[in-house]
Amino acid sequence: MQIGILPPELRSIEQLFAGDTRFSVPKYQRNFAWGPDEIEELWEDLVAAMQRQGEYFLGTLVLQRKDGETHEIIDGQQRLACIAMIFSAIRNVYLASRDDRASQLELAFLGSKDFAREAILTPKLVLNKINNETFVQNVLTSRDLKDIEELLRQKTLHQSNRLLLIAYRYFLGVVTTEAANRGTRADEFLVPLINTLRSQLKLITIPVTSDEDANLFFESLNARGRELAISDLVKNRLYFEAGDQVDRAEQLWDQMESDLGRRPIPEFIRHYWIAKKAPSSSPMVREKHLYRMIAQAISGDKVAALALIQDIRESATDYAKISDFALWPDDPAYDEGFSDAIADLRLFRVTQTNPLLLNTIQRFASPSEVAKTFRIVANFCYRYFIIGNQSPGNLERVSADIARQIRDGTYTSASGIADALRAVNPDPTFRSDFTLAIFTRARSRIARYTLSKVSDHLAHASGQAGAELVANTNPRQVTLEHILPRDLRDPWPKAFSSGLNPADFVYRIGNLTLLTAKVNREAADKSFSDKKQIALMPSQLPLNLDLKALDKWGEKEIEERQDRLAKRAIEVWRL
């Protein structure tokens, strides 16, 4: 990629910040993102350079000159922000001792003030909209450690600002501690540190000559392996194509981020593209190809760029609803069963069906059809992904194909979706998979869910449903019981045929049931006859009724019970 740049220069921090030079982070740049590893590495390298009295090369700084002495930072904002934090931490030490050098550091490296009594600092470094207020109010104004700790306890603090304050807390801590440990000889540490920062720390500055060159350089960072999220690249491109409407684009992007909350933006954008834009020839969209697809769709077209970001923003609201029942409007269709479907999808930890569900929300006419589809999709995920052990890629491939057909108008109701999913996972396949299902310790929550659903279904089918007959979902009160215990002591192995390993049956769903926690502890590893009298006979759960007539527990009993459960599973997780 040919990019218009001026010759690079090797410059010190003092040269970089000389005079009235100002630096700002453009709107499309990502938020502050450095964590403890990067912060500590920077500090350790800086101290090592100070001790050896040598230069420290900090890397490259890509800049685009704007008005006068103002430069936009295309790459390098994390490093400059951290350098400013260290200068601020040193200034804190000088302020505490009423040392005039505090104002010298501020004027040279942090910002300037006019001569009014209540003058406000004009920063040399301005971060983006998310980070700048936190940076100015806490770093540039030299808050102390106590104030920073208090701010970090706020649960509503933006994650990027939390990282920024954690970084500042670290630099405040190490600088203050080193100075305090030396007492009156603090300058033996502070002065060499300042001199290393101002003159020995070097960067290669690379000036780019235009907005287009800045945009191309930003994109090329990702091509060269830099850690830029796909959302950073997409945001950059949308802002660039928006032209004089960039403020509107920024507003829509911020609204999208707010609606998504903690949901990953790159995953949302990929799912959005699968749902709304992917062609029939390639319904699957890999993240590494996503930016190129979006760039091709909006290149040189401001109207298309603004229309896309508007639709992305509106879709984010619907996307958030997929995993949060509280966001849905009041409607009889969105009842407890619908809430359970959303909860099931969260339990299964599947997001691969989100493109299908997003199109369902936006395309299906009635709330009842939307609610039915959520239940059908949740049941399919259990059958195909949880019991069938299909890969996430296969699940997403199925979802992408149906999402496209919803978009094309092929499917307009829940029944059509059910037919399509039943073709992928018919009842005989599900029953066969269920007869072999194993739930190890790592899947104990799914095992509890499975047994609770079957037991509740049996209770309702019998017409005897009541509070005492419905499986309690509180794991502290009702626990998962391995009838054949994990500790295979005598006489348990004697119930199994010669040549079989009883351990192969311990985690079969046919060997699992639900018992109250107290009874489970009492039964523990006792023999089957003792366990039957202590735990199974008193149980009121329909799930345990068939166990009461048995006199032994071996491979035959486990397999027969698992087959009975498989038959009921088709009724519970029907499509």
Side-chain angles (χ1 to χ4, degrees):
M1 181 182 296
Q2 191 68 34
I3 299 174
I5 60 174
L6 298 175
E9 299 179 50
L10 184 66
R11 306 178 73 182
S12 68
I13 291 294
E14 191 169 47
Q15 292 171 327
L16 198 64
F17 283 90
D20 295 327
T21 304
R22 300 278 186 272
F23 300 94
S24 66
V25 176
K27 294 177 179 180
Y28 56 77
Q29 271 280 20
R30 64 177 176 173
N31 303 327
F32 186 85
W34 271 17
D37 290 345
E38 294 91 346
I39 299 302
E40 292 174 17
E41 182 180 2
L42 172 62
W43 176 254
E44 290 167 1
D45 289 348
L46 183 61
V47 171
M50 178 182 71
Q51 292 171 344
R52 71 172 186 269
Q53 297 182 354
E55 291 186 346
Y56 172 34
F57 177 61
L58 192 57
T60 58
L61 186 66
V62 183
L63 303 170
Q64 182 190 7
R65 183 186 290 272
K66 304 303 283 186
D67 300 329
E69 294 298 316
T70 300
H71 299 76
E72 281 195 344
I73 305 171
I74 310 306
D75 183 43
Q77 63 139 324
Q78 317 277 341
R79 283 161 285 173
L80 281 193
C82 288
I83 296 303
M85 292 180 200
I86 299 172
F87 275 123
S88 180
I90 299 170
R91 181 184 57 175
N92 260 25
V93 175
Y94 285 146
L95 284 172
S97 59
R98 300 180 184 277
D99 192 314
D100 290 342
R101 285 176 293 182
S103 59
Q104 289 179 257
L105 283 177
E106 180 178 283
L107 182 62
F109 302 107
L110 298 175
S112 59
K113 297 179 181 177
D114 61 29
F115 294 98
R117 186 179 297 276
E118 303 298 331
I120 298 174
L121 185 76
T122 300
K124 282 186 172 288
L125 174 62
V126 177
L127 301 185
N128 69 9
K129 187 171 69 174
I130 296 294
N131 297 137
N132 196 57
E133 183 176 356
T134 298
F135 181 71
V136 171
Q137 294 297 324
N138 299 285
V139 177
L140 297 186
T141 57
S142 289
R143 291 283 186 93
D144 60 26
L145 275 172
K146 181 180 178 182
D147 293 331
I148 300 302
E149 294 287 2
E150 183 66 28
L151 286 168
L152 285 170
R153 282 193 283 271
Q154 295 180 5
K155 294 182 179 180
T156 57
L157 187 65
H158 192 285
Q159 178 60 22
S160 176
N161 287 329
R162 185 174 299 280
L163 289 173
L164 191 152
L165 291 178
I166 288 172
Y168 185 46
R169 178 181 64 182
Y170 175 82
F171 292 127
L172 271 176
V174 291
V175 171
T176 302
T177 299
E178 290 287 350
N181 288 342
R182 288 168 172 78
T184 57
R185 296 184 295 108
D187 272 358
E188 293 178 6
F189 171 74
L190 294 175
V191 171
L193 177 60
I194 293 169
N195 287 336
T196 300
L197 284 167
R198 56 191 280 268
S199 60
Q200 297 298 102
L201 195 155
K202 301 292 176 66
L203 301 99
I204 292 180
T205 60
I206 303 176
V208 295
T209 57
S210 67
D211 289 341
E212 184 175 2
D213 291 331
N215 177 64
L216 290 171
F217 198 101
F218 184 83
E219 293 175 4
S220 73
L221 296 177
N222 191 58
R224 295 200 302 270
R226 301 296 294 272
E227 293 184 0
L228 292 173
I230 188 66
S231 51
D232 294 319
L233 292 167
V234 171
K235 179 171 67 170
N236 166 53
R237 188 71 190 205
L238 287 167
Y239 286 9
F240 175 74
E241 297 292 352
D244 59 2
Q245 294 294 308
V246 66
D247 288 342
R248 173 62 177 159
E250 182 182 22
Q251 181 186 37
L252 291 168
W253 187 275
D254 289 346
Q255 290 172 348
M256 175 206 72
E257 287 193 347
S258 176
D259 287 345
L260 289 176
R262 294 180 177 273
R263 297 166 186 83
I265 297 174
E267 183 177 62
F268 159 65
I269 294 175
R270 191 173 67 84
H271 287 166
Y272 165 88
W273 202 260
I274 291 172
K276 309 293 285 292
K277 305 292 183 180
S280 58
S281 58
S282 54
M284 292 284 285
V285 176
R286 296 185 181 277
E287 186 171 306
K288 65 180 181 180
H289 299 144
L290 180 59
Y291 171 73
R292 176 175 52 80
M293 295 177 179
I294 294 175
Q296 289 175 349
I298 62 174
S299 180
D301 191 336
K302 179 169 68 175
V303 173
L306 289 171
L308 178 60
I309 196 170
Q310 175 72 41
D311 194 42
I312 287 175
R313 177 261 174 278
E314 292 172 357
S315 294
T317 303
D318 291 329
Y319 189 86
K321 291 159 66 177
I322 293 172
S323 58
D324 191 347
F325 177 70
L327 298 177
W328 289 83
D330 290 333
D331 189 284
Y334 304 138
D335 57 10
E336 184 178 355
F338 178 64
S339 175
D340 288 345
I342 292 175
D344 288 354
L345 289 167
R346 288 203 308 270
L347 174 64
F348 305 155
R349 297 183 179 180
V350 294
T351 59
Q352 292 80 8
T353 54
N354 284 0
L356 186 165
L357 294 173
L358 178 61
N359 278 357
T360 295
I361 294 169
Q362 296 188 339
R363 298 275 180 161
F364 283 11
S366 69
S368 63
E369 291 300 317
V370 172
K372 289 176 186 176
T373 302
F374 266 70
R375 171 41 63 197
I376 289 166
V377 169
N379 286 357
F380 174 77
C381 289
Y382 178 81
R383 293 164 60 125
Y384 186 72
F385 185 64
I386 299 298
I387 298 300
N389 287 318
Q390 292 291 328
S391 69
N394 284 344
L395 181 60
E396 185 166 279
R397 191 171 291 106
V398 172
S399 169
D401 184 60
I402 295 177
R404 177 186 58 78
Q405 293 185 76
I406 294 173
R407 187 177 77 220
D408 294 345
T410 302
Y411 298 128
T412 59
S413 67
S415 61
I417 304 301
D419 290 341
L421 295 177
R422 198 179 299 112
V424 176
N425 187 256
D427 287 348
T429 299
F430 175 47
R431 181 169 179 171
S432 176
D433 290 340
F434 198 96
T435 59
L436 301 174
I438 293 174
F439 291 89
T440 60
R441 289 185 180 185
R443 304 179 80 197
S444 60
R445 286 187 66 198
I446 299 293
R448 285 176 48 80
Y449 161 85
T450 298
L451 295 171
S452 297
K453 286 283 191 178
V454 172
S455 191
D456 292 350
H457 174 74
L458 291 171
H460 288 112
S462 69
Q464 298 176 330
E468 75 281 2
L469 296 177
V470 175
N472 189 332
T473 58
N474 185 339
R476 295 182 179 180
Q477 297 176 13
V478 176
T479 59
L480 188 66
E481 161 69 3
H482 297 72
I483 303 171
L484 171 68
R486 289 179 290 232
D487 185 5
L488 292 169
R489 302 175 186 174
D490 282 337
W492 286 100
K494 295 178 181 178
F496 288 80
S497 301
S498 176
L500 290 179
N501 184 359
D504 294 337
F505 292 83
V506 169
Y507 295 103
R508 295 278 296 271
I509 191 66
N511 184 55
L512 305 180
T513 193
L514 299 174
L515 293 174
T516 60
K518 182 176 183 298
V519 169
N520 200 349
R521 286 193 298 270
E522 291 173 352
D525 298 333
K526 288 184 168 56
S527 67
F528 179 72
S529 60
D530 289 342
K531 185 174 290 192
K532 176 181 170 181
Q533 294 303 316
I534 295 170
L536 300 177
M537 293 302 290
S539 175
Q540 295 297 306
L541 286 179
L543 179 69
N544 293 328
L545 292 179
D546 61 346
L547 300 173
K548 298 180 181 183
L550 299 176
D551 295 321
K552 68 185 185 75
W553 192 251
E555 78 274 7
K556 178 176 178 292
E557 289 74 23
I558 293 173
E559 289 176 346
E560 288 179 350
R561 182 168 182 261
Q562 186 145 343
D563 189 62
R564 291 194 298 272
L565 292 174
K567 181 180 178 181
R568 293 299 185 180
I570 293 174
E571 300 168 3
V572 177
W573 291 279
R574 64 183 183 275
L575 296 178

